[in-house]
Each structure stands twice: as structure tokens, then as C-alpha cells.
Amino acid sequence: MSKTSIRYLPAAGKTYCNIYAHDFAYLCGTYIPRVWWDKDALQDISNGKSIREEYGKTVSELNANSLHDWLENYGSEFNWKREKQIMNLQGRADDGSVCIIVARRKNRKRSGHISAVVPRSKGYTSKKWPVESQAGSINYQYHIKRSAWWEKEKFDSFSFWHHD
């Protein structure tokens, strides 16, 4: 990712961490959805009905809050596993796993945040904080934030995930 990639540049108060997470997972050979089925469509599918994808009708784009919930509800069906400790997640990234941090906002009208945890490399090492790659209000290819941003008051839930 380039810090200046037009695909991820914040604009008009919108950020694109959800799209970055989707692209990151895709390029790593894993799956994080960009759009997902609505409740009625999922019910119809579970009842054996054939449903056509219609943006805004049967599927909707997932923001970071929605991705938080998707990982909780469906992640294991796509081989995502929850990790409890942040530096264990970093270790998994160092060993080649695809790793993410996702946090859901208390105010659901505002998007949460999702970032990738990437392997440590020269110039990007810490024994306490993960190396992250993200799109957001500021885009980083590699960055160590030196804070547990996911524990901020504005979030009501967070989780760490890996895909081996």
C-alpha cells in the first residue's frame, strides 16, 4: 500500500480501513468480506432459496463495526481464529499468519477501525506493541502506534484475529 493510494485516501470525513482490510486479506489468500448478506437474505439462503446479490437490497457494504460483528459471527466458518494477547498475535504475524485487530464503536453511526498486524522487520520492532498496516484518517504501510488504540473509550468491543 502506498500512503497516497487513491483507493484508501480519506475524503469528506470517510476513511477506508474496511476496504484496506478486505484487500489485504485477499492479497494474502484469505477472506474478509467487503459486502455481506442482510438478515432476510441469510434466512432465505438457510431455507434453501436461491438469492441474487443486489447491493442495498440483499447485500450491504461492511464498515469496521460490521466487520467486528462478522468476525464474531462468521469468522470461524472462514478459518479465522481469535487470539487473546496482542503480542501473541504479533508472533503469529511474524510466523506468516494473516492477522488483524478490529474494534467496534459505541456510536454505531461512526465507524470503528480495523488494521492488519504485519511481521516485524528492520526498523519496525517492539516487544510491547504490534507492527500495523492500515488505512484510516492516516494511512500507514508499517507503523508502531505505541498505544492500545483498540481500548479507547469510543470503542465498546475489540478482538484480535489470525488466519493460518
Side-chain angles (χ1 to χ4, degrees):
M1 171 189 80
S2 166
K3 290 181 184 180
T4 58
S5 171
I6 195 164
R7 184 167 173 85
Y8 310 117
L9 285 179
K14 293 183 179 181
T15 60
Y16 300 99
C17 63
N18 56 326
I19 295 170
Y20 185 76
H22 165 81
D23 292 352
F24 180 83
Y26 174 79
L27 292 170
C28 292
T30 63
Y31 178 72
I32 292 177
R34 177 140 179 220
V35 297
W36 191 250
W37 301 102
D38 71 12
K39 288 180 184 180
D40 292 337
L42 282 172
Q43 185 62 50
D44 287 345
I45 291 167
S46 70
N47 290 333
K49 289 186 180 179
S50 179
I51 302 297
R52 203 172 117 212
E53 301 90 0
E54 294 182 63
Y55 191 83
K57 293 183 180 180
T58 60
V59 297
S60 301
E61 189 162 349
L62 299 184
N63 66 14
N65 292 332
S66 302
L67 288 172
H68 172 282
D69 295 344
W70 182 88
L71 282 158
E72 292 286 331
N73 296 320
Y74 303 103
S76 64
E77 294 176 38
F78 295 87
N79 297 319
W80 285 98
K81 297 170 191 78
R82 194 168 188 164
E83 179 59 61
K84 295 192 185 287
Q85 300 295 323
I86 190 61
M87 292 315 288
N88 289 348
L89 190 70
Q90 179 65 67
R92 289 184 177 279
D94 293 343
D95 291 339
S97 294
V98 179
C99 299
I100 60 167
I101 303 169
V102 62
R104 185 180 63 199
R105 282 264 191 155
K106 287 179 183 177
N107 178 354
R108 298 297 193 276
K109 292 180 182 177
R110 306 268 327 260
S111 186
H113 188 56
I114 186 168
S115 71
V117 174
V118 296
R120 289 177 272 212
S121 62
K122 187 176 181 180
Y124 295 98
T125 62
S126 173
K127 292 183 180 183
K128 185 175 180 183
W129 304 109
V131 180
E132 294 179 72
S133 183
Q134 71 165 44
S137 56
I138 300 173
N139 295 344
Y140 299 107
Q141 188 167 9
Y142 299 101
H143 184 71
I144 299 172
K145 292 185 182 177
R146 304 196 191 289
S147 70
W149 61 262
W150 51 89
E151 292 180 347
K152 286 186 176 178
E153 181 67 25
K154 63 185 174 183
F155 300 117
D156 67 1
S157 181
F158 67 87
S159 50
F160 310 138
W161 295 88
H162 65 92
H163 191 286
D164 304 318

